[in-house]
Amino acid sequence: MQRTTLYVPFNASSRGQWSLRRNAELVGQFPTREEALRHALALAAAIQAQQGQPAEIKVEDESGLWRLAGADAGDEVA
């Protein structure tokens, strides 16, 4: 079964956009990290519901490490 991975790379710029990628493809750019994560959560749920594929979200921190979204309190989205 194919797995989809959504990526939210770290953005060090205070004026830059937060990107969301689906595997290597750019899905969108958002003004805040929270908006990028919110969109990623909605997209992951849609992929799982419509295609029956597992989908995970990986978020890059300021040190360049990738973590699964929700793996720590810093990735929770209201």
Side-chain angles (χ1 to χ4, degrees):
M1 178 177 282
Q2 183 179 354
R3 172 179 294 277
T4 299
T5 304
L6 303 173
Y7 297 95
V8 179
F10 182 74
N11 174 20
S13 171
S14 62
R15 294 184 180 190
Q17 297 282 308
W18 287 83
S19 298
L20 173 60
R21 296 186 170 278
R22 179 178 180 171
N23 298 323
E25 174 187 349
L26 180 65
V27 173
Q29 294 186 316
F30 303 88
T32 66
R33 178 179 181 265
E34 290 75 23
E35 288 184 50
L37 282 171
R38 198 173 357 263
H39 190 82
L41 289 167
L43 182 55
I47 290 168
Q48 290 173 358
Q50 295 173 2
Q51 300 174 10
Q53 295 179 7
E56 63 185 9
I57 303 166
K58 292 189 177 182
V59 181
E60 184 181 25
D61 67 18
E62 61 274 357
S63 63
L65 296 175
W66 290 91
R67 302 184 195 281
L68 287 176
D72 63 27
D75 290 332
E76 292 181 20
V77 178

